[in-house]
Amino acid sequence: MASVKGANITNMDSVPAVNVSSEEAGGKLRVFHDTYEADTLASGSDITIARIPASATIHDVVLKCDALGASVTLKVGDADDDDRYIGVTGTWNVAGQTQSMLSGSSTGAPVAAVTGLGYRTSAQTDIVITTGGASASGTIFAWVYYSVE
């Protein structure tokens, strides 16, 4: 049996200690929560759900939705990468389904690798949902968890 340490614990236990970013250990986690009530929102529409400050580290993006429609897809990104946080997901035909960067879909649908985990913003950044597939109707709840020091 082995006893090992993660990268940040290794740095903290080094002599002399190596500083660990406060966004990775001991920092303050913040949340931006928003909702949008879609009423036959056209496919290809963008919904801005958060405005994150410069030098923030994104830890998770969570969507929870009403039944939006059988063919509706959603993806979450920013101006530089339209699916940085959540790739195109088409599981929005039953109320209460969720999608998260960290845990994937509540339906067990496969989730592609997420490039946005631990992404650090270089400027103020709007987080945007893009609809696809069909017109969407229903409530979309969104949470963006990030740290900034």
Side-chain angles (χ1 to χ4, degrees), residues 31-83:
V31 63
F32 196 113
H33 173 259
D34 209 346
T35 60
Y36 180 77
E37 185 64 39
D39 184 12
T40 61
L41 183 65
S43 175
S45 297
D46 291 335
I47 308 163
T48 302
I49 58 162
R51 183 158 293 140
I52 305 302
S55 300
T57 299
I58 307 295
H59 297 284
D60 198 8
V61 174
V62 179
L63 299 181
K64 186 171 186 76
C65 302
D66 288 345
L68 301 178
S71 299
V72 173
T73 64
L74 301 177
K75 61 182 173 180
V76 183
D78 54 39
D80 293 329
D81 184 343
D82 67 357
D83 65 351

Side-chain angles (χ1 to χ4, degrees), residues 93-117:
N93 55 348
V94 176
Q97 292 183 195
T98 59
Q99 179 72 37
S100 165
M101 287 172 55
L102 294 177
S103 62
S105 170
S106 65
T107 64
V111 178
V114 178
T115 60
L117 284 173

